[in-house]
Amino acid sequence: LQEVNSKINKRLKDALFTDQWSELFMDVLSPFHFILVSTVRMQGVILLVFAKYYHLPFLQDIQTDCTRTGLGGYWGNKGGVSVRLSIFGHMVCFLNCHLPAHLEKAEQRKEDFATILHMQQFEGPVANGILDHDLVFWFGDLNFRIESLDICFVKYAIDSNVLSQLWEKDQLNIAKSTWPVLRGFQEGPLNFPPTFKFDVGTNKYDSSAKKRKPAWTDRILWKIKPPGKGLGTGGHQPTQGVLTVSQLCYCSHMEYTVSDHKPVAAIFAVQFASKVDKPLVEIYVADEWNRPEQAVVRYKMAVGFHRSSWDWIGLYRVGFRHPKDYVSYVWARSDDGERCLEKQLCVSGLQVMFSEEALPKGNGEYILGYYSNASSSIAGVTEPFQISLPRSEEGSSSTDSSGSSSEEDDSTLVLLAPKSRSPSPGKMKRHRSRSPSLAKFQGLILRPSSRDRGTSRSPSPQSRRSLPKNIPTIHLPQGELGHRGVKSKELGQGAESPEGSSFYQTLQEQGGLRCVSADSSLARADPRNLGLLPALRLEMIDQALGWRRESADQSYYPCRRMSPTSPAGCGTSPKEGYSP
């Protein structure tokens, strides 16, 4: 994607929560078993890579990078973002660019592309630069225009469907034969009309006073590493097979009218000899779990696998969206297994067990995945298996009831760490997962996601402890409550306070301001019900320092591991249920 809304208020929201485009794509693709592998964003430029769940163990060495070229390299409205990874042992790079606009900026586009290739470097022994990869896909709003021909002839060629008369004047086609930096890049025939510039909401080319000439600005190209430089990660040409790419489809979609561009899509068939036959971690599990004592997971690690004490095994509902969209998890660590690994006597026979509290109640299909903390990816998965456990009775603990309740929203909104490119582990709220222009996508059918088919219980400990009762008064300006009060009331309806009774917003007039009393149920309500971050506090500096000093004296933060997505520092156990 390019030119995604990146105004300050929108960027702040997207920094706190998963952006709406990523949520939309995950909603659409997860029913087809596509999982978000990696994502990277630079202002309005977004790149997302999805893969079928059973391919995840064979996608390794995942890295991202971005390069700003706007305003001399200080602004990210132009530039490129990339995701590189090893696919069955072959190094592949996806590069999404937004290059400078306008007909006369062809040389600037060349220089910016060369800058992106030079600046983006990856870690590791092989494929450090973009062009060092076995296969490179280059795409985006490249902004190349049609030279020489006037706008009347261009529109005539489009209306008469004689697009070939425009190909030889296309700046990118000319550059591929004259610019050394583009040598080796291939592109399919442009058998679709130019995709820029349209009047938004129509299929008519620019009718404004500027009357921009139609052009193929949005392109998809690819490049295979020359045989002389060797294919694959070994630095030499493999003896078995050769990597080949066939383009099966290259088209635009005229039915989308939400932008002045038309989206472009391509389908490729890539053939190569697999260099990896087995996953790094093999997981063994029974075909069905009918009783809690059957929730035993055995796994075997390949020789040379870089294991971490922060690795974990996640239980996913079929149709999960990303590697941290788990129902529950267990740490992939056992004392016997660690002693075995330290002595290098064995790499098999390790096992862990899910507790009864961590298991989902009811019937459903699930998948187990081994998450490697070192590579930030899934190193092994199972085939889908069945879990059939009786549902909890009413009045049981919140942990058990959350798996069967259809009314309680057990979502959590988790703040993304700086430079973190993976989605937060909690389940994002539904009202944040829709693009504002979604209604304009005609013919787009949203299939129910895993979250819609049943409420999943995230192991996030935040949901098992209410906030302290000394939350200070929250002051809101009188003018802002005109529209915020309605939203707060809507959020209050159907949500439950820790005592189990419905909460409603109570407001008191004080000197032109309205305040929420600290004694009100709204102030003490679980922040998940308010759409806030877990354990988010609004307080005066003196109160905050005093509260933290008091907490420190009481050893409020015992140093224990909390969840796979928490920092490797101080936290609490899931039973204590506090997230710093």
Side-chain angles (χ1 to χ4, degrees):
L1 302 170
Q2 304 86 35
E3 296 185 1
V4 171
N5 185 353
S6 56
K7 294 180 181 179
I8 294 179
N9 60 336
K10 190 66 171 61
R11 290 292 290 123
L12 178 61
K13 179 180 177 181
D14 291 344
L16 293 173
F17 314 106
T18 306
D19 68 271
Q20 292 176 316
W21 279 106
S22 298
E23 285 284 318
L24 175 63
F25 280 115
M26 287 190 287
D27 285 343
V28 173
L29 293 174
S30 60
F32 300 95
H33 307 299
F34 279 102
I35 312 303
L36 180 64
V37 175
S38 183
T39 179
V40 56
R41 176 172 186 174
M42 181 184 66
Q43 288 184 211
V45 183
I46 302 180
L47 174 59
L48 305 103
V49 177
F50 291 81
K52 290 293 183 71
Y53 77 90
Y54 45 79
H55 290 317
L56 295 180
F58 303 99
L59 308 180
Q60 298 296 322
D61 196 9
I62 304 171
Q63 299 182 43
T64 64
D65 203 353
C66 62
T67 302
R68 300 176 180 88
T69 60
L71 296 180
Y74 290 98
W75 194 242
N77 64 321
K78 297 292 190 295
V81 298
S82 62
V83 173
R84 87 85 172 261
L85 68 166
S86 170
I87 302 178
F88 289 92
H90 295 269
M91 302 305 298
V92 179
C93 182
F94 300 95
L95 175 61
N96 176 22
C97 291
H98 190 186
L99 300 182
H102 306 304
L103 177 67
E104 65 278 6
K105 295 293 183 67
E107 284 298 321
Q108 184 65 46
R109 288 187 277 274
K110 171 187 174 182
E111 294 176 5
D112 282 11
F113 181 57
T115 299
I116 293 170
L117 295 180
H118 174 73
M119 293 293 294
Q120 297 206 6
Q121 299 292 318
F122 303 98
E123 299 177 356
V126 295
N128 301 116
I130 291 178
L131 298 183
D132 295 331
H133 290 73
D134 301 333
L135 177 60
V136 177
F137 288 99
W138 176 40
F139 46 88
D141 183 2
L142 307 185
N143 260 320
F144 288 98
R145 307 304 172 95
I146 297 175
E147 291 185 344
S148 304
L149 304 177
D150 60 41
I151 186 172
C152 294
F153 181 83
V154 172
K155 289 186 175 181
Y156 166 78
I158 296 172
D159 295 338
S160 304
N161 198 26
V162 286
L163 302 176
S164 58
Q165 297 187 19
L166 307 178
W167 294 346
E168 61 181 15
K169 297 299 182 180
D170 175 73
Q171 288 181 335
L172 182 55
N173 286 338
I174 297 172
K176 282 191 296 183
S177 59
T178 57
W179 293 359
V181 71
L182 294 181
R183 186 173 295 118
F185 277 96
Q186 305 178 57
E187 184 183 21
L190 298 170
N191 289 326
F192 51 90
T195 56
F196 177 83
K197 173 182 173 61
F198 289 85
D199 294 335
V200 176
T202 72
N203 287 324
K204 296 180 180 180
Y205 286 104
D206 187 16
S207 61
S208 67
K210 295 183 179 180
K211 285 189 167 46
R212 293 181 178 88
K213 189 193 307 182
W216 285 289
T217 56
D218 313 285
R219 312 287 278 271
I220 302 175
L221 298 88
W222 72 95
K223 181 178 182 179
I224 301 174
K225 190 175 183 180
K229 296 184 179 181
L231 292 171
T233 60
H236 60 277
Q237 187 171 355
T239 56
Q240 296 181 354
V242 177
L243 189 149
T244 61
V245 177
S246 302
Q247 189 177 66
L248 307 180
C249 174
Y250 192 29
C251 61
S252 65
H253 295 271
M254 296 290 290
E255 64 271 21
Y256 292 96
T257 60
V258 297
S259 169
D260 56 354
H261 292 253
K262 298 298 181 182
V264 175
I267 301 175
F268 296 91
V270 183
Q271 295 181 327
F272 51 79
S274 175
K275 296 183 179 182
V276 181
D277 297 325
K278 291 185 178 181
L280 294 174
V281 178
E282 297 182 71
I283 307 175
Y284 306 93
V285 66
D287 293 336
E288 186 173 3
W289 291 354
N290 294 315
R291 302 184 306 277
E293 56 268 23
Q294 292 178 315
V296 177
V297 182
R298 295 177 176 85
Y299 58 98
K300 178 175 64 175
M301 291 175 287
V303 177
F305 173 65
H306 297 289
R307 185 174 181 271
S308 166
S309 60
W310 293 92
D311 292 355
W312 44 275
I313 296 176
L315 179 64
Y316 302 92
R317 185 175 282 107
V318 170
F320 67 103
R321 298 145 54 90
H322 51 77
K324 296 177 184 177
D325 185 23
Y326 49 75
V327 175
S328 62
Y329 71 94
V330 63
W331 294 105
R333 183 181 66 175
S334 64
D335 295 336
D336 294 338
E338 290 207 351
R339 286 195 296 267
C340 188
L341 287 174
E342 290 174 359
K343 297 179 181 179
Q344 296 183 350
L345 297 177
C346 65
V347 290
S348 61
L350 304 177
Q351 75 175 37
V352 293
M353 184 173 183
F354 282 85
S355 63
E356 182 176 357
E357 293 78 11
L359 295 176
K361 304 305 184 286
N363 300 326
E365 281 194 317
Y366 294 84
I367 293 172
L368 287 170
Y370 185 104
Y371 186 86
S372 169
N373 184 69
S375 62
S376 299
S377 61
I378 291 182
V381 295
T382 65
E383 291 294 329
F385 65 97
Q386 191 77 19
I387 294 182
S388 302
L389 297 175
R391 295 186 180 275
S392 313
E393 296 180 358
E394 292 186 3
S396 62
S397 66
S398 60
T399 302
D400 295 333
S401 62
S402 61
S404 59
S405 173
S406 60
E407 296 179 358
E408 180 181 359
D409 184 4
D410 200 21
S411 307
T412 57
L413 297 176
V414 181
L415 181 66
L416 291 179
K419 297 184 180 179
S420 173
R421 298 302 180 185
S422 58
S424 58
K427 308 299 183 290
M428 308 302 285
K429 285 190 178 295
R430 299 300 299 169
H431 66 272
R432 295 189 180 276
S433 63
R434 286 292 174 267
S435 170
S437 57
L438 178 60
K440 298 181 181 180
F441 286 95
Q442 300 297 328
L444 179 62
I445 300 176
L446 291 180
R447 298 175 180 268
S449 64
S450 59
R451 183 177 299 110
D452 295 328
R453 291 191 291 270
T455 303
S456 62
R457 296 183 297 106
S458 171
S460 300
Q462 298 95 308
S463 60
R464 303 178 189 173
R465 187 188 190 115
S466 60
L467 289 177
K469 297 184 181 298
N470 61 341
I471 297 179
T473 300
I474 303 173
H475 294 277
L476 298 177
Q478 177 77 24
E480 293 182 4
L481 287 170
H483 59 278
R484 293 186 181 179
V486 177
K487 184 176 181 180
S488 300
K489 184 176 180 180
E490 292 175 353
L491 290 172
Q493 296 174 353
E496 298 295 328
S497 68
E499 291 77 11
S501 60
S502 300
F503 71 84
Y504 294 88
Q505 188 173 15
T506 59
L507 302 176
Q508 298 175 354
E509 295 287 342
Q510 286 188 357
L513 294 176
R514 290 188 182 183
C515 69
V516 181
S517 173
D519 297 330
S520 70
S521 55
L522 176 63
R524 298 193 304 271
D526 191 324
R528 295 173 294 119
N529 299 328
L530 297 177
L532 299 175
L533 295 173
L536 179 66
R537 296 172 54 85
L538 302 178
E539 54 192 358
M540 303 300 293
I541 294 178
D542 294 338
Q543 292 174 325
L545 294 178
W547 180 80
R548 288 171 183 165
R549 283 195 295 269
E550 180 182 355
S551 300
D553 296 338
Q554 298 175 359
S555 299
Y556 199 68
Y557 299 104
C559 194
R560 297 184 185 179
R561 179 156 43 201
M562 182 183 63
S563 72
T565 53
S566 63
C570 288
T572 65
S573 65
K575 291 184 179 179
E576 293 173 346
Y578 186 82
S579 173

